[in-house]
Amino acid sequence: MYVTVCNSVKGPSSDARAFTTHSAPPDTPLPPRLSHRTKSSLTLQWKGKKNSIFREYYVGHQRHCKVMRLYPAVGYTFRVAALNDIGTSGFSTEVVFYTTGSLPQTSLPPWLVQAGPSWVTLEWMRPNSCSTEEVVTYTLEMQDETKGLDFQAVYSGLELNRNVESLRRNTQYKFRLITCSGEWHSAPSSLLVCKTTPDRPGPPVNPAVNTVTYHSFCVTWEPPQDDGGSGVLTYVLEISEGNSEGVSEGPERKHLCEDRKPATSYSLRLSCVNVGGQSQCSDDLTVCTHIPPPGRCQPPIIVGNVKHKEMTLQWDGPLCGEESENVEFSLEMCAMEEGSEPTEVYCGCKAECTVGNLLPGTTYRFQVRAANSAGYGPYSESVEISTAAGPPGQCRPPAINVMSHTCADVTWENKESSGIDISEYRLDWGRDLDSLELVYSGTETYFQISNLEASTDYCCRLQAVNQAGAGPYSDLVTCRTPAAAPDVVSGFCLVDHPLNPTESEPFSHSTCLALTWDEPRCNGAEMTSYSISMGDSIITAGNVTCHIIRDLLPDSEYSLQIRAENEMGPGPFSQTLTVRTRPLPPSPPRLECAAVGPQSLKLRWGFSSRSQLTDDTTYVLQMEDRNQRFVVVYRGPSHTFKLQRLSESSRYRFRIQAVSEAGEGPFSETYTICTTKSLPQTLKAPRVVQLKGNACEVTWESIPPMRGDRISYVLQVLGGRGSDYKQVYKGDETSFQLSGLQWNTDYRVRVFACRRCADTLQELWGSFGPSAHFNLRRSDATLAVEADVTRVSMGNTLTDEQFAGLMVFGVASLSVLMAFLLQLLI
């Protein structure tokens, strides 16, 4: 069928039309297979590929059909479709059915074609009773007796041969064959017993070479981990050297290779052989034969001049050859003295060496031998050589005899020279090796050293000298001088304050002396105490470097000396120290309050007699703070001090102390002073408002309570015929109405505050504030008098305090003017 498409829009499909293709040649048949064979014939059989073309066999109304004239034991494929007047349905699913075959006879047993380590190849024949058209299948069963299992199928198919794999090597197996034709099975055939062959072994392991000499070596190895199933092995050792090769075979696991070349490299490899074949070769192993020991060297000879401490020797090595390559030489030396042992003085590749550290004028015997990797060769003939005369040898250590802590005697033995007489001895002395100095030079064997320090380590060394030079120093000898009494004490002085004060015993410069000093050298014995001489008395102090002498007279002079003592005894006294105690410090003055205010206190103090006063006396005034601690509020020479910014009606505690050159005096007893209460503040001028008739209302500002005390107010009026202010109101209000006033009359009003103390019921009056002036006038309407009121401020009307200050200023100015005039007249 076909479909029309226009601009991606498909139209309806056409009616379907059927057609049938032409027939074609058959497909290539399957390869032929062997059906039967004899000595002189072969029966071949082949099959064509399955024909996929169905042939119509029955058309009718029945629902069963019998198909005739079929081949035995052949499969046929069937399908069915239904047909009516409308048309034909589709075919059903294909089914396959087989025709029965003829009963096969008992199968012939299979036979072994070839066997391997893990496989066998078997073949069998087609039964003669089966026709060529029948399909015959074969089932091959195998039994492994080593596992104790019954026969199991290892193959089922149409072939007449089978290669059975995954078998164990060198193991016996049993096989039998069953023939199947259609639904019929033949009885099992007789048994075929066959055996797999052994496998080839693995290579030998751990090949090693030992006992290597310069003409032979021995090779050993371990058997292979896998012998291939056969216990009988033959080992093959291949040896190659250059282009030549050699093979050695045998059952042993070691082989001695003899008659080899020295210093030659050989390559070895191993393999083993059994009935299964030959194994792979092991990794190559390389061995090198040793070099033979070298021959005898020529005796050593002298090169140059022989010195007193060294000489240079030279020799010829052995004859040239393989053994003379990479040769080292060993030179031995032996003194000619009885009991001397040979000593190796050189080992190296050169045939020459310089021998040092020899003794002058001494005969030595030398011999040399060569060595290589094979070992040492024989010694050469020995030669005797003598050194020249030289400086003296090393002296024996001197002996030290310590006579005292300041003196020591040093003695030593006379040293035999190396063929030349000794000209002098040199003795070095010091505290250590770095501080050694020459203290003696001469021919004597004794020297006395003085001016030593007690309990000090010293050391010395000795050196002999002749015409050939100076010999080496002797070994270092040490000694230690004995302990002694301590040295003189230094730094003995008087200090202002004790270094270790104690609260239980107060310190006073008038009756106490604080002394300190430097610790002297103890001279090897632990310090025990110090003795202070003061006149005829001795004061003992412990092992300290400071001391306080108490209970002395004030303003007195003393002469002091000190000495140190240790376990060895007392040392010498130091130089005399002259000291003087201070006078007694002044007693505290009497403290009193000169003036008291609500926020200030003025204090003053003084002594009852003038004898206690000095020009350099300083006073320390202290006040107790909120934490009940006294803090300094004044320090100076003045006798008065005013404290500001205090709280009103509060208690304050004070104490005072006098300080002079004699020291700080004691504090006075504690004084308690209380500040007064504050007066109320001065009020501003009141305000006056006229009311109806001849009355007016006076108002003023209010003051808050002061520390809980109530505030009341007093209103006074001046006017009319009176010449003094009259009190017209006293109370807590801040306004008051005046009535009964005269018309066209001048009046003045003023107000002051009063503090009522709740604790003492006392009234504290404040000062008058400025007055307010007003005048009542007749008017039909009630008018405010505030516009006619003339307020008198503090700047226009002087208060009593301001007036008094002005008077004081005038008198003071007049006094200054008069004093100036008198000065001019004089």
Side-chain angles (χ1 to χ4, degrees):
M1 64 182 178
Y2 62 91
V3 178
T4 303
V5 179
C6 180
N7 295 330
S8 301
V9 178
K10 292 183 179 180
S13 301
S14 66
D15 296 335
R17 296 297 299 271
F19 64 94
T20 303
T21 59
H22 295 289
S23 300
D27 293 336
T28 303
L30 297 175
R33 61 182 178 85
L34 181 65
S35 174
H36 180 67
R37 63 181 171 180
T38 63
K39 293 183 179 179
S40 59
S41 66
L42 291 174
T43 302
L44 301 180
Q45 186 179 5
W46 59 87
K47 294 181 180 181
K49 291 187 178 179
K50 179 181 178 182
N51 189 356
S52 60
I53 300 175
F54 283 86
R55 180 170 60 88
E56 186 179 86
Y57 184 80
Y58 170 76
V59 176
H61 297 283
Q62 299 295 327
R63 285 185 291 176
H64 59 85
C65 175
K66 186 176 182 179
V67 183
M68 305 296 290
R69 298 179 182 179
L70 302 179
Y71 295 102
V74 176
Y76 293 91
T77 304
F78 299 90
R79 67 182 182 180
V80 65
L83 178 65
N84 61 9
D85 296 339
I86 303 302
T88 304
S89 69
F91 284 99
S92 66
T93 305
E94 298 177 2
V95 293
V96 179
F97 300 104
Y98 291 88
T99 58
T100 59
S102 58
L103 181 64
Q105 63 181 5
T106 302
S107 301
L108 295 176
W111 62 85
L112 177 66
V113 178
Q114 189 177 1
S118 61
W119 54 271
V120 292
T121 301
L122 304 180
E123 288 186 356
W124 53 87
M125 295 179 57
R126 178 184 176 89
N128 295 329
S129 60
C130 296
S131 63
T132 58
E133 291 81 7
E134 293 185 28
V135 178
V136 181
T137 60
Y138 306 93
T139 300
L140 180 65
E141 293 181 344
M142 182 187 71
Q143 183 185 26
D144 187 357
E145 293 182 349
T146 59
K147 295 184 178 180
L149 300 177
D150 200 0
F151 281 93
Q152 295 180 352
V154 294
Y155 171 72
S156 179
L158 304 177
E159 303 294 333
L160 295 177
N161 55 52
R162 179 64 177 172
N163 187 23
V164 183
E165 299 179 346
S166 302
L167 303 180
R168 294 192 302 277
R169 63 191 176 188
N170 199 25
T171 304
Q172 181 175 290
Y173 295 91
K174 294 180 180 180
F175 296 91
R176 66 183 183 183
L177 186 66
I178 298 175
T179 305
C180 302
S181 176
E183 298 178 356
W184 301 96
H185 298 270
S186 69
S189 67
S190 59
L191 298 180
L192 169 66
V193 179
C194 59
K195 188 177 183 180
T196 56
T197 62
D199 197 2
R200 67 172 184 170
V205 295
N206 300 328
V209 177
N210 48 32
T211 318
V212 180
T213 65
Y214 61 89
H215 60 80
S216 67
F217 56 86
C218 183
V219 184
T220 60
W221 59 87
E222 297 293 334
Q225 298 179 354
D226 184 7
D227 60 358
S230 175
V232 179
L233 297 174
T234 300
Y235 297 99
V236 179
L237 174 62
E238 300 180 15
I239 306 174
S240 64
E241 183 264 322
N243 297 326
S244 62
E245 296 185 359
V247 178
S248 175
E249 298 182 0
E252 301 294 333
R253 287 189 281 114
K254 69 176 181 179
H255 181 70
L256 179 62
C257 301
E258 298 179 322
D259 299 331
R260 301 297 169 181
K261 298 179 182 179
T264 304
S265 178
Y266 293 90
S267 179
L268 313 176
R269 66 179 182 180
L270 284 166
S271 62
C272 55
V273 181
N274 65 0
V275 294
Q278 185 173 2
S279 70
Q280 294 181 351
C281 294
S282 65
D283 295 337
D284 289 352
L285 179 66
T286 303
V287 61
C288 185
T289 54
H290 291 170
I291 300 175
R296 185 187 299 272
C297 298
Q298 298 298 318
I301 59 176
I302 300 173
V303 178
N305 296 326
V306 178
K307 301 179 181 179
H308 66 281
K309 283 188 176 182
E310 65 179 27
M311 64 180 68
T312 301
L313 301 179
Q314 191 178 43
W315 58 88
D316 292 334
L319 298 177
C320 295
E322 295 177 350
E323 66 275 8
S324 62
E325 297 179 359
N326 299 325
V327 173
E328 290 186 354
F329 300 97
S330 173
L331 178 66
E332 283 191 356
M333 178 188 71
C334 181
M336 299 301 295
E337 299 178 358
E338 185 177 356
S340 298
E341 296 293 334
T343 303
E344 185 181 53
V345 295
Y346 172 74
C347 181
C349 300
K350 295 182 178 181
E352 179 181 348
C353 78
T354 300
V355 183
N357 297 325
L358 303 178
L359 297 178
T362 306
T363 302
Y364 296 92
R365 182 170 61 247
F366 296 92
Q367 58 184 1
V368 65
R369 62 178 177 176
N372 58 14
S373 58
Y376 285 96
Y379 278 106
S380 67
E381 296 179 1
S382 61
V383 294
E384 297 180 358
I385 303 174
S386 299
T387 56
Q394 185 180 19
C395 298
R396 293 183 179 180
I400 303 175
N401 183 19
V402 179
M403 307 301 295
S404 66
H405 68 279
T406 60
C407 179
D409 292 340
V410 183
T411 58
W412 56 89
E413 297 180 358
N414 190 8
K415 174 67 178 177
E416 296 181 2
S417 181
S418 301
I420 305 177
D421 294 337
I422 292 176
S423 58
E424 65 176 0
Y425 292 99
R426 297 174 181 174
L427 179 64
D428 293 345
W429 183 271
R431 294 190 177 184
D432 51 30
L433 185 62
D434 296 334
S435 63
L436 288 175
E437 295 180 355
L438 182 64
V439 296
Y440 172 75
S441 176
T443 58
E444 299 294 334
T445 59
Y446 164 82
F447 183 70
Q448 186 178 73
I449 301 175
S450 57
N451 298 326
L452 303 179
E453 296 182 2
S455 187
T456 304
D457 292 326
Y458 291 95
C459 60
C460 66
R461 63 183 180 183
L462 186 67
Q463 183 186 41
V465 182
N466 61 12
Q467 294 180 358
Y473 283 102
S474 67
D475 295 336
L476 204 64
V477 181
T478 60
C479 68
R480 185 178 180 86
T481 55
D487 291 346
V488 178
V489 178
S490 61
F492 187 44
C493 62
L494 179 69
V495 294
D496 292 337
H497 300 284
L499 299 180
N500 297 321
T502 57
E503 296 181 357
S504 59
E505 299 182 5
F507 178 82
S508 174
H509 290 89
S510 301
T511 59
C512 301
L513 292 174
L515 304 174
T516 183
W517 56 88
D518 298 332
E519 182 177 358
R521 181 182 175 85
C522 63
N523 290 334
E526 185 178 359
M527 203 77 69
T528 57
S529 61
Y530 293 89
S531 298
I532 301 175
S533 173
M534 186 177 64
D536 296 335
S537 61
I538 298 294
I539 302 172
T540 302
N543 188 13
V544 294
T545 57
C546 59
H547 185 70
I548 298 176
I549 303 178
R550 301 181 182 275
D551 301 329
L552 301 177
L553 297 177
D555 198 16
S556 300
E557 187 174 272
Y558 296 93
S559 297
L560 307 176
Q561 286 182 307
I562 189 172
R563 67 180 179 184
E565 298 183 8
N566 62 6
E567 297 177 354
M568 305 303 297
F573 275 107
S574 65
Q575 294 182 356
T576 302
L577 174 65
T578 302
V579 295
R580 187 177 187 87
T581 57
R582 298 181 183 179
L584 289 174
S587 58
R590 182 178 65 258
L591 184 64
E592 59 184 11
C593 181
V596 61
Q599 295 181 342
S600 63
L601 288 175
K602 184 176 182 180
L603 304 179
R604 64 184 178 187
W605 53 85
F607 292 98
S608 59
S609 61
R610 298 292 298 177
S611 60
Q612 291 181 312
L613 294 175
T614 58
D615 295 338
D616 59 347
T617 302
T618 302
Y619 301 96
V620 179
L621 179 65
Q622 294 183 347
M623 181 179 70
E624 189 179 46
D625 60 5
R626 295 179 179 178
N627 298 325
Q628 297 181 353
R629 296 180 302 181
F630 281 95
V631 296
V632 176
V633 296
Y634 172 74
R635 179 189 295 271
S638 179
H639 289 257
T640 60
F641 182 71
K642 186 175 183 180
L643 290 92
Q644 304 284 350
R645 299 179 181 177
L646 304 178
S647 300
E648 65 169 349
S649 188
S650 300
R651 295 179 178 272
Y652 294 93
R653 294 165 57 86
F654 300 92
R655 68 179 184 181
I656 195 169
Q657 175 191 37
V659 181
S660 65
E661 292 182 353
E664 297 181 356
F667 281 98
S668 66
E669 60 181 6
T670 303
Y671 296 89
T672 303
I673 303 175
C674 183
T675 56
T676 60
K677 291 190 175 184
S678 300
L679 298 178
Q681 66 183 19
T682 302
L683 300 177
K684 296 181 180 179
R687 299 176 60 189
V688 181
V689 178
Q690 184 176 347
L691 304 178
K692 293 181 180 181
N694 56 350
C696 65
E697 184 180 20
V698 182
T699 59
W700 55 89
E701 62 179 338
S702 62
I703 299 176
M706 301 177 66
R707 297 176 66 91
D709 296 339
R710 295 174 55 191
I711 303 297
S712 62
Y713 306 94
V714 176
L715 177 62
Q716 294 180 349
V717 179
L718 174 64
R721 298 178 180 179
S723 60
D724 295 328
Y725 279 97
K726 294 181 180 181
Q727 181 175 325
V728 295
Y729 170 78
K730 180 180 181 182
D732 298 336
E733 302 296 332
T734 57
S735 64
F736 183 74
Q737 292 184 0
L738 298 175
S739 60
L741 300 177
Q742 298 177 2
W743 299 103
N744 298 321
T745 303
D746 292 331
Y747 290 94
R748 288 184 180 274
V749 291
R750 63 181 182 181
V751 181
F752 65 90
C754 178
R755 179 180 180 180
R756 299 178 182 179
C757 301
D759 50 352
T760 60
L761 300 180
Q762 181 184 5
E763 292 185 350
L764 300 178
W765 303 94
S767 59
F768 284 102
S771 59
H773 172 264
F774 66 94
N775 191 325
L776 288 182
R777 298 179 182 178
R778 291 184 181 272
S779 177
D780 295 339
T782 302
L783 301 174
V785 198
E786 188 174 2
D788 299 327
V789 175
T790 304
R791 298 183 180 273
V792 181
S793 62
M794 292 294 292
N796 299 327
T797 302
L798 296 177
T799 62
D800 296 339
E801 289 82 356
Q802 292 174 339
F803 181 76
L806 184 60
M807 293 295 293
V808 171
F809 177 75
V811 173
S813 301
L814 183 59
S815 301
V816 173
L817 181 59
M818 293 178 64
F820 178 72
L821 293 176
L822 290 174
Q823 183 69 26
L824 293 178
L825 294 175
I826 295 174

